[in-house]
Amino acid sequence: MGRHGWDSDTRRWRLTALLGVGAVVLALAVTLVSTLTGGPRTTGTTRAGDKVHGTPASPGAPPEPYVGWGFTHTQYSADEGAGAASTRVEQLLTQNGGLAQNQHIMGWGADNPEPVKGHYDFGALDRRIDFMRASGGTPVITLCCAPDWMKGGRAGVDHTNWSQSALETAPTPDHYQDFADLAATVARRYPDVRHFIVWNEFKGFWNDARSRWNYEGYTQLYNLVYAALKKVGKDIMVGGPYLVMDSVDARDQNASAAVKGPWGAMDQRVLDAFAYWNAHKAGADFTVVDGSSYTRDDDLLPDEFAATDKLTAVGEWLRRQTRGLPLWWAEYYVEPGDGDGNRTGWTEPHRVAVQATGMIAMVQGGAGSGFYWNPEEKSGSGCAGCLWTPTGSSGGGRELPMYGLVSRFAAAFPPGTRYETVQVAPDDVPDVRVLASSRTVLVVNTRNRTISAQVDGRRFDLRAYEVKWLDR
C-alpha cells in the first residue's frame, strides 16, 4: 500500500465527527454492500496484530513521564529512500543519542492499521518502529488517526479514504471502545514503546452548532484509551489532550481575559476544553499540547521573537492547572505558513534563531519535552526547515542546520536540567535570548545584524541571527 498522510501543518482544520442519523444511515449502507459482496477484502492483513514485532529494545528502568526533545516523523522520512541516505540519517541520530522520535499510527507515513475490524496491517508502522530502534531513539506513538469503519466509512483494504477531511475525522462514539482496543493492540505489538499520546489536535471534535470543542467526546475517548493502555502495562505513560493552544487578537470576542500578553490572548474556548479534560480525565502521566507563537490570523505580536513569550505564558498556565504535571509540546511553530502550510519565507539562520528562541520560551514555561514537526521532502536537494536533506537519492540524508539546533538542545538540556540565571549586560538584554544550565549557555542574537554582547561575564560578537553555545 502507498504511504499516506499530510506534510503541511494541518492545524487550521476544524472537522466535525460524523454523528447522528447520517452516520447511522451510512453504516447501514456499508453493511448491506458488504453482505452482497461477501464482506470487505482483508488481503494482506493479519489477525495477529498484537504479536510482538521484531526485536524490541531490552526493558530498562521503569519509564519516566518525559522523553526530552526530539522530532515527529511525517510522510517522507528516513526509513525509506536510498539505502545510503537512510543509513546516513540512522548513523547521525545514533551519534547524537537517538533523540526522542514520535510517529502516528495512521497517516503521516503509516497505513491504515486496521482496515477491517480484527484484521491488521502494521507494515508501514513496523518499518518506522524498526528505524527508531536502529537509530537508538526513544519511541513515542501518537494514537491518531482512526480506520474508516470507526467513523462511518467503508471497511476493507481497498477502501481507505485518504482525503484530509476523512483522515481527520474522529471515531463515532459507538466506536470509541474499538479505537481503545486498537491502541491496546499497538501497545502489545511494540512493548518497548512506553509513551503514548492520545489523538491529535482534537481532530474531528469541533462542534459547529455550538461553536466550541466537543471536549466531552474527546475526554470519553481519552479515558477509554487510558484504561486500555494501563491494562496492557501499568507503567505505560499516557498523556493528552494534544489541544492546539490557539491565540487571537486581544480584541477578539473569544479572547481570554486571564491568559494574555503583548502576543495576544488565548482563545477562551481552548482553555475551556482543557479545563474540562483536566477535571474529568481518568488519569494522565503528562500533559501534551501544541501551538504556535503567532495568532490564529498568523500575526506575530509584537514581532517574531517576542511572540514566543506566548509559549512561556501558556506553559505556566498549564502547569498551574495540572499542579505540575510534566509538560510536553507535541508540535510548536514560530513561522507562519503560506496557503499550503509551507514555511519557506525566512532564511535558514533566521528560522533557526526564532526556533531556538521558541524552545527557550517553552523551557521557561516549564516544558521538559517537545517534538519538532519535521517538514520532510521526498526528493530534491533543498528542504526549508528540515532536519536532513531528502533521502530519495544516495547523496541525501545529510545534516541541516535545524538538526544541529534540535540535537544540541536535546543533549544540553535533558529532562531534569536545573536551569540557572546568567548575567546579561543591561544594554544587551533587548538583543539576545539566553538559556543556561551549570554546564552550557545558549545565546541567540535576535537582530538581523552583527552585535556585541556580554553574557555570563564574557563579551563576544554574534553574527546576524547567530545561535551560539558556550561551555561553562
Side-chain angles (χ1 to χ4, degrees):
M1 297 179 68
R3 306 302 292 280
H4 306 281
W6 299 95
D7 296 329
S8 63
D9 172 13
T10 57
R11 302 173 56 259
R12 298 293 178 235
W13 291 87
R14 298 293 183 265
L15 300 171
T16 305
L18 300 177
L19 303 174
V21 176
V24 172
V25 171
L26 181 56
L28 290 173
V30 170
T31 300
L32 178 60
V33 171
S34 297
T35 300
L36 294 175
T37 60
R41 289 186 63 236
T42 59
T43 305
T45 65
T46 178
R47 283 189 171 274
D50 58 359
K51 180 182 179 181
V52 174
H53 168 69
T55 307
S58 300
E64 299 289 349
Y66 43 72
V67 293
W69 301 87
F71 65 94
T72 293
H73 291 276
T74 52
Q75 186 173 1
Y76 303 115
S77 195
D79 60 311
E80 287 190 292
S86 294
T87 299
R88 190 173 290 117
V89 176
E90 180 183 309
Q91 293 173 342
L92 180 66
L93 290 166
T94 302
Q95 293 167 2
N96 286 279
L99 292 180
Q101 300 177 39
N102 178 37
Q103 172 62 44
H104 293 64
I105 63 170
M106 180 175 174
W108 297 281
D111 290 326
N112 187 337
E114 193 179 4
V116 179
K117 185 173 183 177
H119 294 263
Y120 303 94
D121 178 7
F122 286 119
L125 188 56
D126 286 347
R127 185 166 53 248
R128 285 280 166 95
I129 295 296
D130 287 342
F131 181 83
M132 293 181 188
R133 289 171 176 170
S135 58
T138 300
V140 176
I141 285 181
T142 294
L143 297 164
C144 184
C145 294
D148 294 52
W149 60 270
M150 293 187 191
K151 52 198 180 189
R154 294 183 66 181
V157 296
D158 299 325
H159 298 306
T160 299
N161 184 346
W162 288 107
S163 68
Q164 186 163 354
S165 60
L167 182 65
E168 298 185 351
T169 296
T172 55
D174 56 317
H175 287 298
Y176 286 173
Q177 185 59 57
D178 289 319
F179 187 79
D181 293 341
L182 172 59
T185 298
V186 170
R188 287 191 291 267
R189 186 173 186 83
Y190 311 114
D192 48 341
V193 180
R194 313 305 289 163
H195 299 84
F196 291 85
I197 300 171
V198 181
W199 207 241
N200 172 303
E201 295 186 332
F202 267 48
K203 286 180 169 64
F205 285 99
W206 178 251
N207 186 323
D208 275 323
R210 303 181 69 176
S211 189
R212 72 162 175 84
W213 292 107
N214 174 19
Y215 39 73
E216 299 93 340
Y218 170 80
T219 303
Q220 183 183 355
L221 174 69
Y222 173 90
N223 285 343
L224 289 171
V225 172
Y226 179 89
L229 291 174
K230 291 296 184 178
K231 285 182 180 178
V232 175
K234 292 182 179 180
D235 64 346
I236 287 178
M237 301 282 104
V238 185
Y242 204 151
L243 262 170
V244 183
M245 305 306 288
D246 273 339
S247 56
V248 296
D249 187 283
R251 296 164 294 182
D252 189 278
Q253 62 177 351
N254 295 305
S256 167
V259 187
K260 60 183 180 179
W263 44 266
M266 281 298 300
D267 187 324
Q268 185 60 45
R269 296 170 298 181
V270 174
L271 302 186
D272 292 344
F274 185 88
Y276 183 91
W277 171 82
N278 192 40
H280 295 88
K281 65 184 184 297
D285 298 294
F286 55 90
T287 304
V288 57
V289 297
D290 85 350
S292 62
S293 58
Y294 44 87
T295 69
R296 195 164 53 234
D297 294 323
D298 292 341
D299 291 328
L300 288 161
L301 304 173
D303 59 55
E304 70 270 39
F305 288 97
T308 64
D309 291 340
K310 168 192 169 178
L311 305 176
T312 299
V314 170
E316 290 173 341
W317 183 86
L318 291 167
R319 295 271 288 174
R320 289 195 300 270
Q321 305 311 302
T322 62
R323 299 183 180 180
L325 203 63
L327 174 60
W328 296 20
W329 286 86
E331 304 173 41
Y332 49 91
Y333 301 94
V334 297
E335 179 183 3
D338 60 19
D340 296 321
N342 298 312
R343 295 173 172 80
T344 59
W346 292 352
T347 65
E348 206 65 16
H350 188 186
R351 180 175 295 113
V352 171
V354 186
Q355 280 285 341
T357 303
M359 296 175 80
I360 292 171
M362 286 185 285
V363 166
Q364 292 174 335
S369 300
F371 292 91
Y372 180 71
W373 188 272
N374 189 19
E376 299 149 329
E377 298 286 352
K378 185 176 182 179
S379 60
S381 58
C383 192
C386 294
L387 298 178
W388 51 77
T389 56
T391 57
S393 65
S394 59
R398 299 186 185 280
E399 177 180 347
L400 290 172
M402 194 64 72
Y403 181 84
L405 170 65
V406 173
S407 60
R408 184 75 180 266
F409 197 96
F413 306 119
T417 296
R418 296 176 64 89
Y419 294 96
E420 299 184 359
T421 300
V422 297
Q423 294 298 314
V424 179
D427 291 344
D428 300 328
V429 169
D431 297 336
V432 299
R433 292 293 178 105
V434 177
L435 184 67
S437 69
S438 61
R439 300 174 58 184
T440 304
V441 181
L442 168 60
V443 186
V444 181
N445 178 9
T446 66
R447 306 301 185 189
N448 189 20
R449 56 180 172 79
T450 298
I451 66 170
S452 174
Q454 182 172 317
V455 178
D456 201 25
R458 286 173 279 183
R459 180 162 290 281
F460 46 84
D461 288 340
L462 290 163
R463 299 185 304 276
Y465 297 136
E466 183 177 359
V467 175
K468 190 175 187 65
W469 298 87
L470 306 174
D471 293 327
R472 302 185 77 189

